[in-house]
Structure formats: structure tokens, C-alpha cells
Amino acid sequence: MIRRGGLVVLASVCAVAVSTIYAIQPVLKTAGSDLGLTEGALGWLVAAGQFGYLAGLVLLVPLGDVFNRRTLIVGHLMLTAAGAAITAVAPDGVIAAAGMAITGLFAVVVQIAVAYVAANSSPGERGRNIGMVTAGVVAGILGIRVVGGALGDTLGWRAVYAVLAVLCVGLALTVRITFPPDVRLAKTPYPSVLAAAGRLVVTDRFFLSRGLIAFFLFASFGTLWSGLALPLGAAPWQFGTTTIGLFGLAGLVGAAGASRAGLWADAGRAQAVTGWSLALLAASWILTVHTTPTLWMLIAGVVLLDFAVQAVHVSNQHLLTAAYPERSSSAIGTYMAFYSLGSALGAVTTTWAYTAAGWRASCLLGAAYAVAALIVWTLARNTTASPRAVPAATEAA
């Protein structure tokens, strides 16, 4: 069983690994100018990491059901460090995009770490432990906006990736020294693992419902965090990169507040938590739409949104690892592909909506994604049985 100190290490692994994907966002304009890229080409820097991450979710995460997960965590962290180092010294946009694609590909160490925790936790503590580790994911996504913006303004954008590379190496050594091996007792051929993951999407209605909830959940999340800089950087506020990055602190407060979601899941209330959290997600956009004359309503909306997203995300992963204990890596990796696609959808459509009709249109879009997730949950609750590994009586709440 994993002790609290080990959970902190793995939460740090998640935070640093996911930061390598999102680190370009707060320093995008500076990096693009240094690399000689036009504004129209800047999106490819962001896309490179996302495409690499999606490929890793499909192709690399299932390896956790075949090989020693500790070895995979160490190896993936070292390769993530290599990608970050390439980005830090890249002479042009092509090399920088290649480095970001490599970091994204191996940053899926996050999902392998979650599967490692699930496999080494007692059933009564699985939700709590997953909640602690995945809190690192949200901390990385939001925290890098603050830290990256500050480093970019003081030491330059390349320093952000240099620091992340060093942290990845340090964490790889820590995991190698302090964690026991996670050896697979039965060896399943890799092609069979990939085929099983594909069947989850095609034939398993429970899994598909949770995947669709994640898709719309993170489309709503991406709508906020990919579009928030637009109204804050415009009149009347006209904030700079560092100031806009500080809004990530509000998101961290909300995510930290959702840390109890794992305990609620352990108590058999994951389904209920999902439902009311999605309703809260939709309602948060009523506050987020207000950017004048004060920002307090926007900040409150950000806190509520991140609370809801983290609560649903932890509940989803708890249910999936309980339902598919022998293939938790495949289940988490495939589930996170829905997350990645949803995040990309939110990022693309929020800028389109803002350009067409302003921040109110972006907020309406984010609320629509939240309502869509709530509809999926409602339909699945009535038509889909609870996972076999979770007693039906406890999930009837």
C-alpha cells in the first residue's frame, strides 16, 4: 500500500508532467517571437504537445497493463525531460514543436501514475488516493500559468522548459529509489491490450457514458482556460501575462476544495457527486460571464468551475478503476483520450465564439458543454448499470 509521502511524490509527478504540455500558453507570444513564428503559426506550438499527448494516451498508457508501472513512470519522466530540454534549446519553431510533441507523448506518465495508485490502494482508500494524486494534475495545469508567466517575464521562456526538464529528472530518480516494483503477474500481449481498449469504447455503455461526460466536462474547462486571457487582456483591464496567470490561483482554490471527492467516492456516492457537480459546473458560468465592473464574480465562477471539474474527474476515475481493476491503465488512458479531445474542442471553439460575439458567447458555449455532460449523466444513470466492481446498492445514491 502507498503511504502519504508516496502520494505526494506521485502528485508531484503529475503536476510537473502535465505542466510540460501547458507551459507554452503563458509565454506563447514571447516564444513565437524568439523562434521567428508568425501569429498564425503560434497555434501549432500548442497543438504539438496536445497531439503528442493524445498519441501517448492511445499507444503508451496501455503498456501499464503489460509492464512494471514503476519502470514505465521512471522511463517516461526521463523522456519527458528530454523533450523539454529539446524545446529549451530549440533554434527554430520546427525543433521547438518537435520537442513539445515529445513531452506531450511521454507526459502520459500521469495516467500510468494514477493506475499505479489505484492498483496499490485498498478499495476503501482508492478514491481518496486517486483524488490526492490527480490534484497534482490540476495544480500543474493551473500553477504553470502563474509560475511560467513569472519565469518567462524574468528569465525568458526557455527557462520554463529548462526548469521542467530538471524537475522531471529529479522525480524520476526519486520514484526509482523510493517505490517498489509493480510487476504484472499475467502477461497480456500488447496488441490484445489495445484491442480491449478499443472494445471499451465500442461495446461498453458504462465506459462510453463516462468518456462522454469527460469529453463535455473538459470542453467546458477548456472554454474557460483557453479563452480567459482574451477578455482580461482587452479593455478595460488590459492585464499582462503575469497578471492573467495569477487567475490560476483561483482555479487551484476550487480544485483543492474538491479534494474530498475521493472520500465521497469511497463512501459510494460517486454517481451523486457527478450529478450535482455537473449542475454546479453549468451554474458557474452565470458568474463567469461577468467581467465588469468588478472581477469578483468572475473569480467566484472560476473557483466553482474548477471545484466541479475536479470532483467529476476524480469520481470518474474512481468508478473506472473499480470497474476494470485488471486493465486500469487501458481504461484510464482511453478515458483520458476523451478528456484530450474535449479540451481541444473547448480551446478551438472558445476563440471562435469570442471573435464572433465576445466573452458572453464563450460563456454560453461553456455552459452548453456543461449541460451536455449533465444530460449524458442523466441518461446513463437511468439506462446503464453500475460497474460490476462497485456494489449497486452503494451507487444508488
Side-chain angles (χ1 to χ4, degrees):
M1 296 298 104
I2 302 178
R3 295 183 178 181
R4 188 175 184 85
L7 293 173
V8 171
V9 171
L10 291 178
S12 301
V13 167
C14 292
V16 172
V18 80
S19 292
T20 64
I21 304 172
Y22 293 93
I24 192 61
Q25 293 184 354
V27 296
L28 185 59
K29 288 187 177 180
T30 303
S33 177
D34 184 40
L35 295 168
L37 298 175
T38 64
E39 286 193 2
L42 290 180
W44 288 106
L45 289 180
V46 179
Q50 294 291 345
F51 286 140
Y53 188 65
L54 181 59
L57 289 171
V58 175
L59 299 175
L60 298 182
V61 175
L63 290 172
D65 292 333
V66 181
F67 299 110
N68 181 343
R69 291 191 185 105
R70 185 192 68 176
T71 300
L72 290 174
I73 291 172
V74 173
H76 280 43
L77 281 171
M78 294 299 292
L79 291 168
T80 302
I86 291 171
T87 304
V89 300
D92 55 46
V94 174
I95 301 300
M100 291 176 191
I102 293 172
T103 61
L105 181 67
F106 293 103
V108 295
V109 65
V110 170
Q111 281 64 57
I112 296 175
V114 170
Y116 180 92
V117 169
N120 291 278
S121 298
S122 64
E125 295 181 338
R126 183 183 293 117
R128 184 200 66 178
N129 292 349
I130 290 175
M132 287 186 62
V133 172
T134 54
V137 176
V138 180
I141 293 174
L142 301 178
I144 193 61
R145 299 174 187 274
V146 180
V147 177
L151 280 175
D153 283 344
T154 55
L155 300 177
W157 74 272
R158 295 177 186 274
V160 178
Y161 285 93
V163 169
L164 288 172
V166 172
L167 289 174
C168 283
V169 172
L171 286 168
L173 295 176
T174 301
V175 171
R176 179 65 181 83
I177 293 170
T178 61
F179 284 84
D182 182 47
V183 181
R184 306 274 75 76
L185 296 179
K187 292 288 185 180
T188 304
Y190 178 62
S192 298
V193 172
L194 290 181
R199 285 194 296 271
L200 282 176
V201 178
V202 176
T203 64
D204 193 311
R205 296 179 67 188
F206 172 75
F207 180 88
L208 182 59
S209 69
R210 288 288 148 178
L212 288 174
I213 288 171
F215 175 78
F216 290 117
L217 176 77
F218 284 99
S220 188
F221 181 84
T223 297
L224 174 71
W225 288 109
S226 295
L228 186 59
L230 299 175
L232 293 179
W237 303 111
Q238 297 181 319
F239 291 145
T241 299
T242 301
T243 304
I244 292 173
L246 291 175
F247 279 78
L249 296 176
L252 288 175
V253 171
S259 60
R260 289 189 59 83
L263 295 176
W264 295 330
D266 289 334
R269 295 196 289 270
Q271 285 280 20
V273 168
T274 301
W276 62 254
S277 294
L278 289 173
L280 186 64
L281 174 65
S284 71
W285 286 101
I286 299 173
L287 298 173
T288 306
V289 72
H290 297 285
T291 57
T292 56
T294 176
L295 290 173
W296 285 113
M297 292 184 71
L298 170 65
I299 292 171
V302 169
V303 171
L304 290 178
L305 182 142
D306 281 274
F307 173 92
V309 168
Q310 178 69 353
V312 175
H313 190 41
V314 170
S315 299
N316 275 350
Q317 291 182 97
H318 176 275
L319 289 171
L320 290 173
T321 54
Y324 314 105
E326 300 304 320
R327 42 180 173 156
S328 57
S329 289
S330 300
I332 292 297
T334 309
Y335 162 80
M336 289 299 294
F338 285 91
Y339 151 97
S340 184
L341 291 171
S343 295
L345 176 65
V348 171
T349 56
T350 189
T351 54
W352 169 80
Y354 184 87
T355 302
W359 182 239
R360 287 183 179 273
S362 291
C363 291
L364 181 62
L365 185 68
Y369 289 140
V371 170
L374 185 59
I375 290 173
V376 172
W377 173 81
T378 302
L379 295 175
R381 179 179 172 86
N382 294 331
T383 61
T384 305
S386 297
R388 61 186 177 278
V390 180
T394 63
E395 282 300 296

